[in-house]
């Protein structure tokens, strides 16, 4: 529908809105994961409070790990095959 019926300007605005929503969701997920890792693991294992720079590096590391795993998931096939490969 978007490619066929809408005028070119509206297509661009709509696609930008979809991209912004996706980036917002990914940002929220990465920040939540970083908060969990710093509060549950880093603070307990090191005995000190994590600095902002530590949280930023953890966010970068988690994002990199998610990107690499997303590139690898394509090789696993469908979800049933992937679950079987992970269990065996």
């Amino acid at each position: 529908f978007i490619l066929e019926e809408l005028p070119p300007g509206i297509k661009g605005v709509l696609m930008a809105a979809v991209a912004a929503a996706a980036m917002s969701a990914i940002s929220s997920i990465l920040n939540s994961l970083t908060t969990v890792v710093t509060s549950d693991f880093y603070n307990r294992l090191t005995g000190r409070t994590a600095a902002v720079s530590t949280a930023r590096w953890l966010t970068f590391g988690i994002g990199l790990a998610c990107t690499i795993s997303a590139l690898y998931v394509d090789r696993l096939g469908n979800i049933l095959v992937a679950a079987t490969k992970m269990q065996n």
Side-chain angles (χ1 to χ4, degrees), residues 1-77:
F1 175 78
I2 294 172
L3 294 176
E4 300 294 327
E5 300 296 325
L6 294 177
I10 303 297
K11 287 181 201 177
V13 170
L14 189 60
M15 296 307 269
V18 169
M23 289 181 351
S24 174
I26 291 170
S27 173
S28 297
I29 291 168
L30 287 176
N31 286 330
S32 297
L33 285 172
T34 301
T35 302
V36 167
V37 168
T38 55
S39 64
D40 287 348
F41 298 109
Y42 184 81
N43 293 345
R44 290 181 186 178
L45 294 176
T46 62
R48 56 191 169 137
T49 306
V52 174
S53 62
T54 305
R56 288 182 180 163
W57 279 108
L58 278 170
T59 303
F60 175 75
I62 292 171
L64 186 65
C66 290
T67 302
I68 291 171
S69 64
L71 294 172
Y72 178 71
V73 164
D74 183 38
R75 298 179 184 177
L76 293 176

